[in-house]
Amino acid sequence: MKKLTAVLLALLVQAVFSPAALAQDGKAALVPLPSVDDFSRGEDGWSFGLGFGVEYETAYEGSDEFGLEIEPAGGLQWRHGDDVFFFAGEALGWRGVRANSWLLEAVVGFDEGRKESDSDDGRLAGLGEQDEGAELVLQARRAFDADWRYWLVGRVVTGGNGNLGLFGVGRRFGDQIDGTGSELNVVVVVHDSEYANHGFGVNSAQAIASGLNQTSLSGGLRSVGINYNFRDDLNDHWQIYGEALFEYFSSEVRDSPIARSSYEAEIGVGVIYLF
């Protein structure tokens, strides 16, 4: 409830400091999407933003336990025309616009892994530790029009734990070209058997140690989901952002003994100072 109150307060701040109240400098972001960090203010060269966010989210994939977590936000970026290279947290990547309607992105990041201690109720006891591992994320968005009002999105995540794919459609609200405003995405997520069993499978050794039924999943549909993003400039330096995510698992995932809930959810809000 406290987290929901914080997000509602953030939305109120967004309304108060809307474009009607704050003059825009007219500088274009790489793409006018609030889900895409762009600290360049439309100019080539280095840019830097630093801040933090507060998230209320599930403790691990499939968990029915929720908790608050503080995460760093922002990053270091270098822009040259329609290309941005960036370092943010544990992610290093590139994104670029092609033909004014394609947003392409490649990122090397890390999967956080899973620890038995992630469950305060002991639901992961006996399943062992999953270490953090590197993964490659490739993403493309194809806009239907020049102002990025609607688009298709596709994403592939690959690494040592298998492969995941995401496909969906998005809608942007607001007329700003500086990356502020809000957007909504509806997606379908699929995974191969290796990725599925990494998150929700229980092998024979884990079954003996945990008391859970041995479980093996096949590849296919993982979930359907919806997420909402907003971003607004409070003044020349301070920026506020927020995100809400809901993911409903497929029947096979829900049948896993690791999935104590039929869904995963997250809601968060944060601030970034632009230097």
Side-chain angles (χ1 to χ4, degrees):
M1 182 60 68
K2 291 181 179 179
K3 190 59 183 177
L4 179 59
T5 301
V7 172
L8 291 176
L9 179 60
L11 291 173
L12 178 60
V13 171
Q14 180 191 22
V16 173
F17 293 95
S18 64
L22 291 176
Q24 296 187 53
D25 57 14
K27 295 178 180 178
L30 185 67
V31 285
L33 301 180
S35 61
V36 179
D37 286 333
D38 187 347
F39 309 139
S40 69
R41 305 179 190 271
E43 299 178 353
D44 285 356
W46 292 100
S47 56
F48 180 55
L50 184 63
F52 70 94
V54 182
E55 299 176 349
Y56 183 67
E57 59 184 351
T58 49
Y60 58 90
E61 291 185 336
S63 175
D64 59 356
E65 303 168 58
F66 286 78
L68 287 172
E69 187 172 354
I70 297 177
E71 296 279 357
L76 179 66
Q77 301 180 343
W78 183 78
R79 179 171 177 175
H80 179 69
D82 289 332
D83 296 281
V84 171
F85 299 87
F86 60 90
F87 176 73
E90 296 182 323
L92 179 66
W94 159 86
R95 65 174 60 101
V97 172
R98 297 295 181 269
N100 295 322
S101 59
W102 284 94
L103 173 64
L104 307 177
E105 186 172 81
V107 180
V108 176
F110 289 91
D111 172 26
E112 294 181 354
R114 188 182 68 197
K115 298 178 174 58
E116 293 187 5
S117 60
D118 287 343
S119 172
D120 293 334
D121 296 337
R123 301 284 177 80
L124 299 176
L127 294 179
E129 308 289 299
Q130 293 181 349
D131 296 330
E132 185 179 80
E135 59 185 17
L136 174 65
V137 181
L138 302 174
Q139 179 171 250
R141 300 196 204 190
R142 173 63 164 88
F144 291 136
D145 46 32
D147 64 356
W148 285 82
R149 185 66 57 198
Y150 298 92
W151 62 86
L152 297 175
V153 59
R155 181 187 305 160
V156 174
V157 180
T158 184
N161 301 318
N163 304 288
L164 176 143
L166 176 151
F167 310 93
V169 295
R171 166 74 158 90
R172 181 173 73 95
F173 305 91
D175 298 320
Q176 302 94 318
I177 60 173
D178 58 359
T180 62
S182 61
E183 71 178 67
L184 191 70
N185 292 269
V186 178
V187 299
V188 174
V189 185
V190 297
H191 53 195
D192 62 14
S193 59
E194 183 179 357
Y195 199 99
N197 284 293
H198 178 74
F200 296 100
V202 180
N203 61 34
S204 57
Q206 290 173 323
I208 294 172
S210 66
L212 300 177
N213 293 331
Q214 185 172 342
T215 303
S216 179
L217 285 73
S218 60
L221 179 65
R222 171 189 174 89
S223 63
V224 294
I226 184 170
N227 76 290
Y228 171 82
N229 291 272
F230 85 85
R231 189 181 301 269
D232 207 351
D233 291 329
L234 300 180
N235 54 41
D236 287 341
H237 292 285
W238 285 103
Q239 188 177 88
I240 188 171
Y241 70 90
E243 179 181 20
L245 167 70
F246 179 83
E247 181 181 9
Y248 186 74
F249 294 127
S250 67
S251 58
E252 185 182 42
V253 172
R254 296 197 306 270
D255 289 341
S256 166
I258 295 177
R260 302 287 180 162
S261 175
S262 61
Y263 67 90
E264 183 174 357
E266 176 184 327
I267 191 167
V269 65
V271 292
I272 297 175
Y273 184 84
L274 306 183
F275 291 86

